[in-house]
């Protein structure tokens, strides 16, 4: 308790000589500094303060030049993008019976993450178990595994798993080795071979650029991807931090995506809120390649008792491409 009080009263010098003096303060110097600062607070006539350097030299500085740094009392609970949100476990449920390939989820994801075409983080595939079964549409995202192979093989800790289950990529740290892409059994990652030239700038991106943010790290979600690094679905951590649903969930007109907290046993698609365990039990929910031991955080509900016509989705279907690419218009004379 006493140490905490001392830390909260630590003072540091500002500008030129003050900065050099501050860097030389040792453990004894901090204790000495605290005592002097307390004395100066009680006696406003104090003109000088004594500071002790690491080699034991006493120096004097003007009391008016000492500035207090105020530390947050809740620094341990401050949001950290690499740590995530404690005591939460985010999961997603995708109801295949509701999907009709409207691609609103893909468009929203692309807009808010500035990606398009084959590099889209969210893709919708035409699936058919056999020639005797009916085809269906299947959205595919990152599985945000509890035992992610991509994290295990990353040599520089660029791919990491948060306490709340999200698996993210720090593009600032990434060296572009693509080990994560080779290790992922779901082949969900994409690689930025060139600077992004397509897509629509989101309001988030524009606001950040206005504020001077040019960092492409995961800490600045919504900024264009960096050349020479991989990308993937991130479950929109910037949305989660603001207690909002991921963009794919809110953009889907058919309520295909449910998002929630496994610990709270609750998921929602924005229209209805359900018990996760009951939903998975009643509709025979499953996870892709669960036998590999990756423990995915994305669950699927089988395409039974479908609510939509599969053929209508063919209007938007482009094989090997999630959304229509923008075409550069020829320059007229």
């Amino acid at each position: 308790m006493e140490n905490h009080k001392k830390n909260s009263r630590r003072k540091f010098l500002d500008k030129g000589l003050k900065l050099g003096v501050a860097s030389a303060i040792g453990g004894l110097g901090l204790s000495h500094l605290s005592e002097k600062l307390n004395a100066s607070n009680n006696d406003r006539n104090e003109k000088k303060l004594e500071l002790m350097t690491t080699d034991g030299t006493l120096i004097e500085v003007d009391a008016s030049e000492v500035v207090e740094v105020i530390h947050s009392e809740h620094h341990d609970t401050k949001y950290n993008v690499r740590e995530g949100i404690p005591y939460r476990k985010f999961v997603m449920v995708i109801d295949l019976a509701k999907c009709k390939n409207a691609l609103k989820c893909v468009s929203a994801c692309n807009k808010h993450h500035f990606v398009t075409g084959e590099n889209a983080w969210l893709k919708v595939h035409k699936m058919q178990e056999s020639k005797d079964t009916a085809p269906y549409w299947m959205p595919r995202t990152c599985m945000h595994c509890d035992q992610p192979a991509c994290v295990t093989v990353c040599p520089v800790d660029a791919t990491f798993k948060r306490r709340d289950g999200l698996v993210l990529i720090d593009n600032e740290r990434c060296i572009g080795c693509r080990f994560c892409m080779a290790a992922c059994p779901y082949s969900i990652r994409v690689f930025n071979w060139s600077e992004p030239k397509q897509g629509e700038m989101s309001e988030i991106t524009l606001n950040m650029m206005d504020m001077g943010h040019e960092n492409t790290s995961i800490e600045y979600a919504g900024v264009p991807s960096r050349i020479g690094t991989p990308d993937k679905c991130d479950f929109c951590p910037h949305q989660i931090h603001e207690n909002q649903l991921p963009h794919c969930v809110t953009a889907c007109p058919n309520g295909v995506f449910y998002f929630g907290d496994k610990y709270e046993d609750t998921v929602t698609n924005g229209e209805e809120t359900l018990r996760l365990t009951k939903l998975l039990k009643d509709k025979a929910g499953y996870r892709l390649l669960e036998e590999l031991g990756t423990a995915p955080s994305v669950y699927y509900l089988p395409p039974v008792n479908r609510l939509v016509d599969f053929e209508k989705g063919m209007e938007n279907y482009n094989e090997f491409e999630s959304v229509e690419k923008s075409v550069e218009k020829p320059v007229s004379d």
Side-chain angles (χ1 to χ4, degrees):
M1 183 68 179
E2 185 63 27
N3 290 334
H4 177 72
K5 290 182 179 179
K6 288 183 179 181
N7 288 334
S8 67
R9 294 193 296 266
R10 293 178 63 188
K11 313 290 180 175
F12 291 92
L13 303 177
D14 188 27
K15 302 179 182 178
L17 175 62
K18 295 180 293 181
L19 182 59
V21 174
S23 64
I25 297 175
L28 292 176
L30 290 177
S31 178
H32 195 87
L33 174 62
S34 296
E35 295 174 2
K36 288 296 183 180
L37 290 176
N38 285 336
S40 66
N41 289 334
N42 295 329
D43 184 2
R44 295 184 179 274
N45 294 325
E46 184 72 34
K47 301 296 183 181
K48 298 288 185 178
L49 284 179
E50 286 186 349
L51 300 178
M52 182 179 290
T53 64
T54 54
D55 61 1
T57 303
L58 288 175
I59 59 175
E60 284 190 344
V61 296
D62 291 336
S64 61
E65 296 295 323
V66 178
V67 185
E68 181 175 6
V69 178
I70 301 176
H71 298 275
S72 172
E73 297 181 358
H74 305 288
H75 62 278
D76 290 336
T77 59
K78 184 179 179 181
Y79 174 72
N80 183 314
V81 71
R82 287 189 71 99
E83 290 295 321
I85 305 174
Y87 313 115
R88 307 294 297 275
K89 176 61 176 73
F90 296 111
V91 295
M92 179 175 284
V93 179
I94 300 176
D95 191 345
L96 299 178
K98 295 180 178 180
C99 184
K100 65 174 184 179
N101 196 36
L103 295 183
K104 299 298 183 182
C105 56
V106 179
S107 298
C109 178
N110 290 348
K111 175 183 176 181
H112 290 279
H113 294 99
F114 196 58
V115 289
T116 60
E118 68 275 7
N119 267 17
W121 296 2
L122 171 61
K123 295 180 172 66
V124 181
H125 299 282
K126 174 186 175 183
M127 303 294 290
Q128 189 171 11
E129 305 300 338
S130 70
K131 63 179 182 179
D132 298 322
T133 59
Y136 60 93
W137 299 109
M138 179 180 178
R140 188 166 61 95
T141 71
C142 173
M143 301 298 154
H144 292 274
C145 305
D146 281 340
Q147 301 295 328
C150 54
V151 173
T152 303
V153 301
C154 181
V156 293
D157 194 32
T159 291
F160 59 96
K161 178 175 175 289
R162 306 198 322 181
R163 297 170 65 182
D164 52 22
L166 269 64
V167 178
L168 304 179
I169 304 172
D170 188 340
N171 295 95
E172 286 286 297
R173 185 184 290 265
C174 179
I175 60 175
C177 66
R178 291 178 287 160
F179 287 178
C180 58
M181 298 181 69
C184 176
Y186 303 100
S187 301
I188 196 62
R189 297 193 174 209
V190 296
F191 193 76
N192 298 303
W193 293 101
S194 60
E195 293 289 354
K197 298 180 181 179
Q198 306 173 45
E200 179 182 354
M201 281 285 191
S202 70
E203 185 177 350
I204 296 175
T205 305
L206 294 174
N207 289 340
M208 286 186 171
M209 286 187 169
D210 288 341
M211 293 186 293
H213 290 301
E214 297 180 356
N215 191 322
T216 56
S217 170
I218 193 66
E219 298 184 38
Y220 298 91
V223 177
S225 303
R226 166 172 289 187
I227 184 175
T229 62
D231 270 328
K232 69 173 190 66
C233 154
D234 61 4
F235 270 5
C236 300
H238 48 298
Q239 287 288 100
I240 295 175
H241 179 48
E242 299 297 329
N243 293 319
Q244 301 292 326
L245 292 171
H247 293 296
C248 58
V249 179
T250 56
C252 180
N254 301 304
V256 173
F257 300 90
Y258 293 81
F259 189 80
D261 190 338
K262 185 176 181 179
Y263 294 158
E264 294 182 351
D265 195 26
T266 304
V267 291
T268 180
N269 61 2
E271 296 292 332
E272 59 178 349
T273 300
L274 305 171
R275 286 290 181 189
L276 173 64
T277 52
K278 187 176 188 303
L279 178 64
L280 297 177
K281 181 180 179 180
D282 292 347
K283 296 196 173 182
Y286 64 94
R287 297 183 289 184
L288 296 181
L289 300 178
E290 191 170 3
E291 65 275 10
L292 297 180
T294 54
S297 296
V298 176
Y299 297 82
Y300 284 91
L301 304 181
V304 296
N305 300 322
R306 283 180 230 182
L307 306 178
V308 296
D309 183 5
F310 172 83
E311 293 300 327
K312 289 184 178 180
M314 291 299 295
E315 300 174 359
N316 302 320
Y317 180 63
N318 290 307
E319 193 172 9
F320 306 121
E321 190 177 315
S322 291
V323 293
E324 184 177 356
K325 296 181 182 180
S326 59
V327 179
E328 295 184 3
K329 297 181 179 179
V331 179
S332 58
D333 296 334

Short mmCIF file of all heavy atoms in Angstrom, two decimals, residues 237-264:
data_model
loop_
_atom_site.label_atom_id
_atom_site.label_comp_id
_atom_site.label_asym_id
_atom_site.label_seq_id
_atom_site.Cartn_x
_atom_site.Cartn_y
_atom_site.Cartn_z
N PRO A 237 -12.61 -6.63 -33.40
CA PRO A 237 -12.31 -6.31 -31.99
C PRO A 237 -12.64 -4.87 -31.64
O PRO A 237 -12.96 -4.58 -30.47
CB PRO A 237 -10.80 -6.57 -31.89
CG PRO A 237 -10.30 -6.51 -33.29
CD PRO A 237 -11.40 -7.02 -34.15
N HIS A 238 -12.56 -3.95 -32.61
CA HIS A 238 -12.90 -2.56 -32.33
C HIS A 238 -14.40 -2.41 -32.05
O HIS A 238 -14.80 -1.55 -31.27
CB HIS A 238 -12.50 -1.68 -33.51
CG HIS A 238 -12.94 -2.19 -34.84
ND1 HIS A 238 -12.51 -3.39 -35.35
CD2 HIS A 238 -13.77 -1.67 -35.78
CE1 HIS A 238 -13.06 -3.59 -36.54
NE2 HIS A 238 -13.83 -2.57 -36.82
N GLN A 239 -15.22 -3.27 -32.66
CA GLN A 239 -16.65 -3.26 -32.38
C GLN A 239 -16.94 -3.87 -31.01
O GLN A 239 -17.74 -3.35 -30.23
CB GLN A 239 -17.39 -4.05 -33.46
CG GLN A 239 -17.48 -3.36 -34.81
CD GLN A 239 -18.45 -2.19 -34.78
OE1 GLN A 239 -18.03 -1.04 -34.66
NE2 GLN A 239 -19.74 -2.47 -34.86
N ILE A 240 -16.29 -4.99 -30.73
CA ILE A 240 -16.49 -5.67 -29.45
C ILE A 240 -16.12 -4.76 -28.28
O ILE A 240 -16.81 -4.72 -27.26
CB ILE A 240 -15.67 -6.97 -29.40
CG1 ILE A 240 -16.17 -7.96 -30.45
CG2 ILE A 240 -15.71 -7.60 -28.01
CD1 ILE A 240 -15.33 -9.21 -30.56
N HIS A 241 -15.02 -4.03 -28.45
CA HIS A 241 -14.58 -3.12 -27.39
C HIS A 241 -15.62 -2.06 -27.08
O HIS A 241 -15.73 -1.58 -25.96
CB HIS A 241 -13.26 -2.47 -27.81
CG HIS A 241 -12.71 -1.51 -26.80
ND1 HIS A 241 -12.61 -1.81 -25.46
CD2 HIS A 241 -12.23 -0.24 -26.94
CE1 HIS A 241 -12.10 -0.78 -24.82
NE2 HIS A 241 -11.87 0.19 -25.69
N GLU A 242 -16.43 -1.71 -28.09
CA GLU A 242 -17.48 -0.71 -27.90
C GLU A 242 -18.83 -1.36 -27.62
O GLU A 242 -19.88 -0.72 -27.74
CB GLU A 242 -17.59 0.16 -29.16
CG GLU A 242 -16.33 0.94 -29.51
CD GLU A 242 -15.96 1.95 -28.44
OE1 GLU A 242 -16.90 2.46 -27.78
OE2 GLU A 242 -14.76 2.21 -28.25
N ASN A 243 -18.80 -2.67 -27.27
CA ASN A 243 -20.03 -3.42 -26.97
C ASN A 243 -20.98 -3.47 -28.16
O ASN A 243 -22.21 -3.42 -28.01
CB ASN A 243 -20.75 -2.83 -25.75
CG ASN A 243 -19.96 -3.00 -24.47
OD1 ASN A 243 -19.37 -4.05 -24.24
ND2 ASN A 243 -19.92 -1.97 -23.65
N GLN A 244 -20.40 -3.58 -29.36
CA GLN A 244 -21.17 -3.69 -30.58
C GLN A 244 -20.92 -5.06 -31.23
O GLN A 244 -19.90 -5.69 -30.98
CB GLN A 244 -20.78 -2.59 -31.57
CG GLN A 244 -20.98 -1.18 -31.05
CD GLN A 244 -22.44 -0.81 -30.87
OE1 GLN A 244 -23.29 -1.26 -31.64
NE2 GLN A 244 -22.72 0.01 -29.87
N LEU A 245 -21.86 -5.49 -32.05
CA LEU A 245 -21.71 -6.76 -32.76
C LEU A 245 -20.78 -6.59 -33.97
O LEU A 245 -20.67 -5.50 -34.53
CB LEU A 245 -23.07 -7.26 -33.23
CG LEU A 245 -24.05 -7.70 -32.14
CD1 LEU A 245 -25.43 -7.95 -32.75
CD2 LEU A 245 -23.56 -8.94 -31.42
N PRO A 246 -20.11 -7.66 -34.41
CA PRO A 246 -19.30 -7.59 -35.63
C PRO A 246 -20.15 -7.15 -36.82
O PRO A 246 -21.36 -7.35 -36.86
CB PRO A 246 -18.80 -9.03 -35.79
CG PRO A 246 -18.79 -9.59 -34.42
CD PRO A 246 -19.98 -8.97 -33.73
N HIS A 247 -19.49 -6.57 -37.81
CA HIS A 247 -20.20 -5.99 -38.94
C HIS A 247 -20.98 -7.03 -39.75
O HIS A 247 -22.04 -6.73 -40.29
CB HIS A 247 -19.21 -5.25 -39.85
CG HIS A 247 -18.62 -4.04 -39.22
ND1 HIS A 247 -19.37 -2.94 -38.87
CD2 HIS A 247 -17.34 -3.75 -38.86
CE1 HIS A 247 -18.59 -2.02 -38.34
NE2 HIS A 247 -17.36 -2.48 -38.31
N CYS A 248 -20.45 -8.25 -39.86
CA CYS A 248 -21.16 -9.28 -40.62
C CYS A 248 -22.50 -9.62 -39.97
O CYS A 248 -23.47 -9.92 -40.65
CB CYS A 248 -20.29 -10.53 -40.77
SG CYS A 248 -19.75 -11.26 -39.20
N VAL A 249 -22.53 -9.58 -38.64
CA VAL A 249 -23.76 -9.91 -37.91
C VAL A 249 -24.83 -8.87 -38.15
O VAL A 249 -25.99 -9.19 -38.45
CB VAL A 249 -23.47 -10.04 -36.40
CG1 VAL A 249 -24.75 -10.38 -35.64
CG2 VAL A 249 -22.40 -11.10 -36.15
N THR A 250 -24.46 -7.60 -38.04
CA THR A 250 -25.44 -6.53 -38.17
C THR A 250 -25.86 -6.31 -39.62
O THR A 250 -26.97 -5.83 -39.88
CB THR A 250 -24.88 -5.21 -37.61
OG1 THR A 250 -23.64 -4.91 -38.26
CG2 THR A 250 -24.62 -5.35 -36.11
N ALA A 251 -24.99 -6.66 -40.58
CA ALA A 251 -25.31 -6.41 -41.99
C ALA A 251 -26.18 -7.49 -42.61
O ALA A 251 -26.89 -7.23 -43.59
CB ALA A 251 -24.02 -6.28 -42.80
N CYS A 252 -26.18 -8.70 -42.07
CA CYS A 252 -26.92 -9.81 -42.67
C CYS A 252 -28.43 -9.58 -42.56
O CYS A 252 -28.96 -9.41 -41.46
CB CYS A 252 -26.55 -11.12 -41.99
SG CYS A 252 -27.43 -12.55 -42.66
N PRO A 253 -29.15 -9.58 -43.68
CA PRO A 253 -30.59 -9.33 -43.64
C PRO A 253 -31.40 -10.55 -43.22
O PRO A 253 -32.62 -10.44 -42.99
CB PRO A 253 -30.92 -8.95 -45.09
CG PRO A 253 -29.91 -9.70 -45.90
CD PRO A 253 -28.66 -9.73 -45.08
N ASN A 254 -30.76 -11.71 -43.11
CA ASN A 254 -31.48 -12.94 -42.82
C ASN A 254 -31.17 -13.54 -41.45
O ASN A 254 -31.63 -14.63 -41.14
CB ASN A 254 -31.17 -13.98 -43.91
CG ASN A 254 -31.55 -13.48 -45.28
OD1 ASN A 254 -32.69 -13.11 -45.52
ND2 ASN A 254 -30.58 -13.45 -46.19
N GLY A 255 -30.39 -12.86 -40.64
CA GLY A 255 -30.10 -13.35 -39.30
C GLY A 255 -29.26 -14.61 -39.27
O GLY A 255 -29.43 -15.45 -38.38
N VAL A 256 -28.34 -14.75 -40.25
CA VAL A 256 -27.54 -15.96 -40.35
C VAL A 256 -26.53 -16.06 -39.22
O VAL A 256 -26.29 -17.14 -38.67
CB VAL A 256 -26.81 -16.00 -41.71
CG1 VAL A 256 -25.83 -17.17 -41.77
CG2 VAL A 256 -27.81 -16.08 -42.84
N PHE A 257 -25.93 -14.94 -38.84
CA PHE A 257 -24.82 -14.93 -37.88
C PHE A 257 -25.31 -14.61 -36.47
O PHE A 257 -26.00 -13.62 -36.25
CB PHE A 257 -23.77 -13.90 -38.30
CG PHE A 257 -23.17 -14.15 -39.64
CD1 PHE A 257 -23.74 -13.59 -40.78
CD2 PHE A 257 -22.03 -14.92 -39.79
CE1 PHE A 257 -23.20 -13.80 -42.03
CE2 PHE A 257 -21.47 -15.15 -41.04
CZ PHE A 257 -22.05 -14.59 -42.16
N TYR A 258 -24.90 -15.45 -35.53
CA TYR A 258 -25.13 -15.20 -34.11
C TYR A 258 -23.77 -15.01 -33.44
O TYR A 258 -22.83 -15.75 -33.73
CB TYR A 258 -25.85 -16.37 -33.43
CG TYR A 258 -27.27 -16.60 -33.89
CD1 TYR A 258 -27.55 -17.29 -35.06
CD2 TYR A 258 -28.34 -16.12 -33.14
CE1 TYR A 258 -28.85 -17.51 -35.48
CE2 TYR A 258 -29.66 -16.35 -33.54
CZ TYR A 258 -29.90 -17.04 -34.71
OH TYR A 258 -31.19 -17.26 -35.12
N PHE A 259 -23.68 -14.03 -32.57
CA PHE A 259 -22.42 -13.76 -31.90
C PHE A 259 -22.68 -13.58 -30.40
O PHE A 259 -23.71 -13.03 -30.02
CB PHE A 259 -21.77 -12.49 -32.46
CG PHE A 259 -20.36 -12.27 -31.99
CD1 PHE A 259 -19.31 -12.95 -32.57
CD2 PHE A 259 -20.10 -11.37 -30.97
CE1 PHE A 259 -18.00 -12.75 -32.13
CE2 PHE A 259 -18.80 -11.16 -30.53
CZ PHE A 259 -17.75 -11.85 -31.12
N GLY A 260 -21.77 -14.08 -29.58
CA GLY A 260 -21.99 -13.93 -28.15
C GLY A 260 -20.84 -14.45 -27.31
O GLY A 260 -19.73 -14.67 -27.80
N ASP A 261 -21.15 -14.66 -26.03
CA ASP A 261 -20.17 -15.05 -25.03
C ASP A 261 -20.46 -16.48 -24.57
O ASP A 261 -21.54 -16.75 -24.04
CB ASP A 261 -20.23 -14.07 -23.86
CG ASP A 261 -19.09 -14.25 -22.88
OD1 ASP A 261 -18.48 -15.35 -22.83
OD2 ASP A 261 -18.79 -13.31 -22.16
N LYS A 262 -19.51 -17.36 -24.74
CA LYS A 262 -19.69 -18.75 -24.34
C LYS A 262 -19.85 -18.88 -22.84
O LYS A 262 -20.62 -19.71 -22.35
CB LYS A 262 -18.50 -19.59 -24.82
CG LYS A 262 -18.65 -21.07 -24.57
CD LYS A 262 -17.48 -21.85 -25.14
CE LYS A 262 -17.65 -23.35 -24.92
NZ LYS A 262 -16.51 -24.11 -25.50
N TYR A 263 -19.14 -18.06 -22.09
CA TYR A 263 -19.23 -18.12 -20.63
C TYR A 263 -20.62 -17.70 -20.14
O TYR A 263 -21.11 -18.21 -19.13
CB TYR A 263 -18.17 -17.22 -19.98
CG TYR A 263 -16.75 -17.68 -20.22
CD1 TYR A 263 -15.69 -16.80 -20.12
CD2 TYR A 263 -16.47 -19.01 -20.54
CE1 TYR A 263 -14.38 -17.22 -20.33
CE2 TYR A 263 -15.17 -19.43 -20.76
CZ TYR A 263 -14.13 -18.54 -20.65
OH TYR A 263 -12.85 -18.95 -20.86
N GLU A 264 -21.24 -16.77 -20.86
CA GLU A 264 -22.59 -16.35 -20.51
C GLU A 264 -23.65 -17.23 -21.16
O GLU A 264 -24.84 -17.07 -20.90
CB GLU A 264 -22.82 -14.90 -20.93
CG GLU A 264 -21.97 -13.90 -20.16
CD GLU A 264 -22.25 -12.47 -20.57
OE1 GLU A 264 -22.98 -12.27 -21.56
OE2 GLU A 264 -21.75 -11.56 -19.90
#
